[in-house]
Amino acid sequence: MNWKRLRKAGVGALVVALIFSLLPAMAFADAVVGETVVTLGADLTPQQRDAILKEMNVDQNVQIIEVTNEEEHRYLGKYVSKATIGTRALSSSKITLAEKGAGITVKTNNITHITETMYANALITAGVKDAEVYVTAPTKVSGTAGLTGILKAFEEAADTKISDEQKEVANEEMVRTSQLGEKIGDPDKAAQFMMDLKQKVAEEKPDTPAEFRDLIINVSNEYNINLSEKDIDQLTQLLQRLSELNIDWGALSDQVKKLRDNLDEILNSEQTKGFLETLLDWLASLLDALKEIFSSDSA
């Protein structure tokens, strides 16, 4: 037996194995914290483009990709009317990759129908994680087309690919949540409801249509939301499609929990801010009263 040749072959095989084991990391090497990508609506005027880039606090050297109206119709056409989507792509977005475990944060401007939590929820469904997102437009828009650009930006920034099916489900979720928010008059409650539905699907793993319906009805009762049969049917179909996606349910559950934690932090900070403002107002009133007392005494 030629031991020298065997040792050479063994070393060669080990080197090849190490190379292949490093390939996934090398392929994801471009997805670095701080990586920023901007998407601009293809129908923006030059003046609008410049104004939005300034609003986003980025310069002309930032990576920019365009989103067309055709792309917006491709993922939304099944769920909203053509008139709602419109004929011009104006919604724009900026996405910045964040530290692992940071979760998703979303800020919006000139977006009237889709809340920040709705965007974040839909992004989690699409597989986006740990990112800071900003969505804007030159004038008031519904925001339904905004998700298309965000997903396109994340694919570029993270050097990854989101399947068309996953994009469609994320867009449908966003639309259904927005419609429910309008129906019950509370978009934030609708977003929290949808967040809990996904959390339950990740934990309980329902299988049959009846199990999905029971889950939806149980969670809607907890939120005191009155769903019609049409609502339940649409949500059942949505959750079934969601469950069939090739996604990491553990990661989805973690991102939902992180989103909930981020929302709680914002709420707590707003409550703290409100308390401090009340305290300052009270102190100001007290000082005014004392000033009045001392003024009258001196008189």
Side-chain angles (χ1 to χ4, degrees):
M1 183 179 289
N2 191 330
W3 290 102
K4 195 174 287 186
R5 180 178 295 178
L6 185 60
R7 283 197 296 271
K8 285 182 179 179
V11 170
L14 180 61
V15 170
V16 171
L18 284 171
I19 291 173
F20 274 96
S21 69
L22 289 172
L23 279 177
M26 293 166 66
F28 202 66
D30 291 335
V32 296
V33 173
E35 183 84 9
T36 297
V37 174
V38 167
T39 64
L40 297 176
D43 297 305
L44 293 169
T45 66
Q47 293 79 10
Q48 289 172 332
R49 288 171 65 98
D50 290 343
I52 284 178
L53 291 176
K54 185 177 180 181
E55 178 188 328
M56 291 178 174
N57 196 29
V58 295
D59 58 34
Q60 297 287 347
N61 295 322
V62 72
Q63 186 172 2
I64 299 173
I65 53 181
E66 288 193 344
V67 178
T68 67
N69 187 243
E70 186 274 331
E71 287 176 296
E72 295 172 344
H73 280 271
R74 185 191 312 164
Y75 297 112
L76 282 167
K78 294 180 182 178
Y79 315 113
V80 294
S81 67
K82 290 183 178 180
T84 301
I85 304 171
T87 58
R88 295 186 301 158
L90 300 175
S91 296
S92 302
S93 64
K94 178 179 77 169
I95 192 164
T96 303
L97 300 184
E99 296 278 355
K100 185 177 180 181
I104 296 173
T105 57
V106 181
K107 300 289 184 184
T108 62
N109 176 54
N110 275 340
I111 305 299
T112 59
H113 283 66
I114 308 301
T115 68
E116 294 167 352
T117 308
M118 288 180 193
Y119 277 127
N121 238 342
L123 289 170
I124 290 171
T125 295
V128 175
K129 60 180 72 172
D130 304 325
E132 296 173 4
V133 178
Y134 182 73
V135 192
T136 188
T139 57
K140 298 287 184 185
V141 296
S142 68
T144 50
L147 186 62
T148 301
I150 304 170
L151 295 179
K152 194 170 183 179
F154 180 76
E155 287 181 312
E156 190 69 27
D159 192 22
T160 190
K161 176 64 180 169
I162 302 170
S163 71
D164 282 350
E165 178 70 10
Q166 206 156 348
K167 289 177 182 176
E168 281 190 18
V169 173
N171 273 283
E172 182 183 359
E173 176 192 326
M174 181 186 66
V175 171
R176 299 290 180 232
T177 310
S178 176
Q179 291 170 341
L180 181 60
E182 290 183 19
K183 177 180 177 179
I184 66 177
D186 191 338
D188 290 329
K189 186 176 181 179
Q192 291 279 352
F193 168 68
M194 188 62 72
M195 200 185 305
D196 268 4
L197 283 182
K198 292 197 296 186
Q199 189 76 46
K200 294 286 187 183
V201 170
E203 293 171 355
E204 299 179 13
K205 297 179 175 57
D207 187 41
T208 66
E211 289 174 344
F212 280 102
R213 287 178 66 88
D214 287 344
L215 185 151
I216 292 164
I217 292 169
N218 290 338
V219 177
S220 66
N221 288 338
E222 291 173 11
Y223 276 81
N224 197 25
I225 293 176
N226 185 23
L227 298 175
S228 67
E229 279 299 313
K230 181 180 179 181
D231 293 331
I232 296 172
D233 288 341
Q234 288 178 336
L235 289 173
T236 297
Q237 292 170 16
L238 172 62
L239 293 186
Q240 282 185 287
R241 289 186 70 193
L242 175 65
S243 69
E244 292 166 0
L245 293 175
N246 182 25
I247 57 179
D248 183 339
W249 284 97
L252 182 143
S253 181
D254 289 343
Q255 289 295 307
V256 169
K257 288 175 182 175
K258 188 61 186 177
L259 175 58
R260 194 185 304 282
D261 291 342
N262 288 342
L263 291 173
D264 288 342
E265 286 176 15
I266 292 169
L267 179 62
N268 290 334
S269 67
E270 287 176 350
Q271 289 173 337
T272 303
K273 182 181 177 183
F275 169 75
L276 289 173
E277 287 176 350
T278 302
L279 179 62
L280 289 172
D281 288 342
W282 179 80
L283 287 172
S285 300
L286 178 63
L287 289 172
D288 288 340
L290 290 172
K291 189 190 297 183
E292 212 172 300
I293 291 170
F294 287 116
S295 296
S296 60
D297 285 345
S298 61

